[in-house]
Amino acid sequence: MERFDLIIIGGGIVGLWSAYFAAKRGLKTVLVEEHGIAAGASGGLLGALMPHTPDRWNAKKQFQFEALTQLPSLVEELESRTGQQVGYRRVGRIAPLLKEHHIKDVTERTAGAQEFWQSATGNFAMKHMEAGLAENWPAAAAMPFGVAVDNLSARLAPRKLIMALAGALHGSIDMRFGTRAAFLGEQQVTLGDGSVLHGDKILVSAGLASFDMLRPYAPTIAGRGVKGQAAVLGTNLDPNLPIIYSDGVYLIVHDDGTTAIGSTSEKEFSAGRETDHLLDEVIEKARALSPLIKDAPVIERWAGVRPQAQGRDPLVGALPEKEWLYVATGGFKISFGIAHLMAQSVLGCICADATAPEIPEPFQPIHRLSA
């Protein structure tokens, strides 16, 4: 039986960040992944790092804000360590206002940003403008009452970040791919080939599969998958253009000038990895937002299933009365923006480090048992 300080199940964005911080702490760590790196929802295309609106402030919004303001320094550290660029850029966001009463909403959120979007690394703002900063981004017809603009939103290239994390982990931890965690026992994981790993601590960060793995130990903790579809258009646009977000549709220009388009949010679906007419509808809506992409060819289509914990908040922390078992999953649409802070928080819990970021109470499994 092989022995480790920490066994991490899941090679998506949360599992990789968890392994990264575990290695920095000097823990003897093994990462177990049934398929390959980011084989699930973490292998997507968008890379939007957008904050929740700065009104009706709560623990989840504060956690996300802290994560978004911390991320640039971690990206710099990761890129310096690996020599790989992850396509991070704080480009801001433009949200077209479709109804007149939305102007009042933005006014309230402007005040909220002045109160809640302030940190040691920067003071961020939201404001109402009559039009975007660049011509046809978005089209005039798409913003009948102007736009809400913020300078906190950013984007990165999801697959580049995944590969940089994998590169940073090379030689630092044990990585087992193509084998599943068939059974969780008391400080043990039995793999699909029958071999057994012993771990002082076990962290489940396997996306949607996490909920089934945890069911024997916490039957009332639940979650579901929500399918998302996205595409990449072959454009040659300025990578400094802000994210456009309108009525659930994203337009995100990446460093190579291509434009990522998304996304659907499907609670009912039959084929989680297949694209269909719903993506076609999103692409058409996106084309209507800006003539700059009207005739751009589609060069990639993607679909995946994102994990959503019951109650919508991420699920992070120790399982009650199971001092060896931990979870970090359920980031849903904001996973790439908060995964690193989820990882730091749960590692702090695992290592009993009082200086680590605190896990918000609503995220903790003990507060979800009766949900």
Side-chain angles (χ1 to χ4, degrees):
M1 184 184 297
E2 297 179 87
R3 306 184 70 87
F4 296 90
D5 298 324
L6 176 63
I7 300 172
I8 299 174
I9 302 173
I13 186 62
V14 178
L16 290 172
W17 272 122
S18 298
Y20 182 82
F21 290 114
K24 289 185 70 172
R25 286 178 174 271
L27 300 181
K28 183 180 180 183
T29 303
V30 58
L31 186 147
V32 178
E33 165 55 48
E34 182 176 359
H35 303 290
I37 293 177
S42 295
L45 305 172
L46 289 180
L49 306 172
M50 301 196 320
H52 285 92
T53 56
D55 55 355
R56 296 191 293 270
W57 203 247
N58 57 33
K60 180 178 179 179
K61 292 186 177 186
Q62 180 64 33
F63 188 87
Q64 185 200 34
F65 175 73
E66 292 172 4
L68 292 175
T69 54
Q70 181 200 56
L71 187 55
S73 63
L74 284 176
V75 165
E76 184 178 357
E77 172 186 300
L78 186 62
E79 291 180 337
S80 176
R81 181 172 174 179
T82 64
Q84 301 180 53
Q85 301 297 303
V86 305
Y88 177 89
R89 194 172 301 204
R90 181 169 278 147
V91 293
R93 166 183 53 181
I94 289 180
L97 304 183
L98 306 180
K99 297 180 180 179
E100 188 173 11
H101 70 81
H102 290 164
I103 298 175
K104 180 182 177 182
D105 295 339
V106 176
T107 301
E108 295 175 353
R109 291 166 183 171
T110 296
Q114 291 173 346
E115 180 176 359
F116 299 116
W117 282 4
Q118 313 305 311
S119 74
T121 60
N123 300 319
F124 302 96
M126 175 179 284
K127 62 182 178 180
H128 173 250
M129 297 180 62
E130 294 299 325
L133 300 175
E135 186 177 1
N136 287 322
W137 193 260
M143 46 181 179
F145 298 97
V147 292
V149 178
D150 78 65
N151 61 352
L152 174 56
S153 297
R155 51 84 172 153
L156 53 71
R159 294 170 183 174
K160 290 183 178 180
L161 176 59
I162 291 290
M163 295 311 297
L165 283 168
L169 291 171
H170 183 71
S172 299
I173 69 165
D174 193 338
M175 303 178 79
R176 309 287 179 90
F177 295 109
T179 183
R180 66 188 181 94
F183 177 74
L184 300 184
E186 185 88 13
Q187 296 183 299
Q188 294 183 1
V189 176
T190 302
L191 302 182
D193 61 6
S195 60
V196 180
L197 306 178
H198 175 91
D200 292 340
K201 309 290 184 181
I202 298 172
L203 172 61
V204 178
S205 57
L208 180 61
S210 303
F211 305 117
D212 286 340
M213 290 184 187
L214 296 173
R215 190 162 291 120
Y217 301 100
T220 61
I221 290 179
R224 66 180 177 189
V226 180
K227 181 179 176 180
Q229 300 186 52
V232 175
L233 304 188
T235 56
N236 187 27
L237 298 178
D238 181 356
N240 290 302
L241 285 171
I243 297 167
I244 294 178
Y245 176 73
S246 180
D247 196 23
V249 178
Y250 301 79
L251 282 71
I252 305 173
V253 182
H254 285 281
D255 280 354
D256 60 1
T258 60
T259 303
I261 301 298
S263 62
T264 65
S265 189
E266 306 164 47
K267 297 177 182 178
E268 302 293 334
F269 55 90
S270 57
R273 300 181 66 86
E274 295 181 10
T275 63
D276 55 32
H277 68 283
L278 294 179
L279 178 57
D280 296 332
E281 293 174 7
V282 170
I283 293 171
E284 288 310 305
K285 289 179 181 178
R287 293 189 192 281
L289 284 170
S290 173
L292 301 183
I293 64 167
K294 183 179 179 181
D295 300 315
V298 177
I299 60 177
E300 183 175 356
R301 296 165 65 94
W302 177 89
V305 180
R306 301 165 296 206
Q308 184 184 59
Q310 189 174 32
R312 298 182 67 90
D313 286 338
L315 185 62
V316 184
L319 271 289
E321 301 180 7
K322 299 290 183 294
E323 70 280 356
W324 54 274
L325 184 57
Y326 298 77
V327 61
T329 193
F332 192 40
K333 291 184 177 182
I334 62 172
S335 290
F336 270 82
I338 66 170
H340 56 287
L341 196 55
M342 290 171 63
Q344 291 175 80
S345 298
V346 78
L347 261 293
C349 186
I350 288 170
C351 297
D353 181 0
T355 67
E358 185 176 351
I359 301 171
E361 192 172 281
F363 293 12
Q364 299 173 26
I366 193 169
H367 298 290
R368 312 285 275 277
L369 289 178
S370 61

